[in-house]
Amino acid sequence: MAATARAIRITESADPSGAVLTATPDDFLTLVQALKGERQMVEAGGPASR
């Protein structure tokens, strides 16, 4: 993962083509919060676990 003043870049290490996700810091925060929310729903037995 690399960060610049305007972007966060994450390289997908399992992808042979070296795909890179580029996001603004705010968008990256939103993504992380959404993923954590989904994880919490699965751990709690919510709709995402069915």
Side-chain angles (χ1 to χ4, degrees), residues 4-46:
T4 67
R6 293 174 277 174
I8 296 172
R9 294 184 179 91
I10 302 171
T11 303
E12 173 52 68
S13 61
D15 184 356
S17 70
V20 176
L21 169 68
T22 302
T24 65
D26 288 340
D27 289 341
F28 182 72
L29 176 61
T30 300
L31 172 64
V32 169
Q33 290 172 335
L35 294 173
K36 283 185 174 183
E38 287 180 14
R39 180 177 174 191
Q40 289 171 355
M41 286 184 68
V42 169
E43 290 173 352

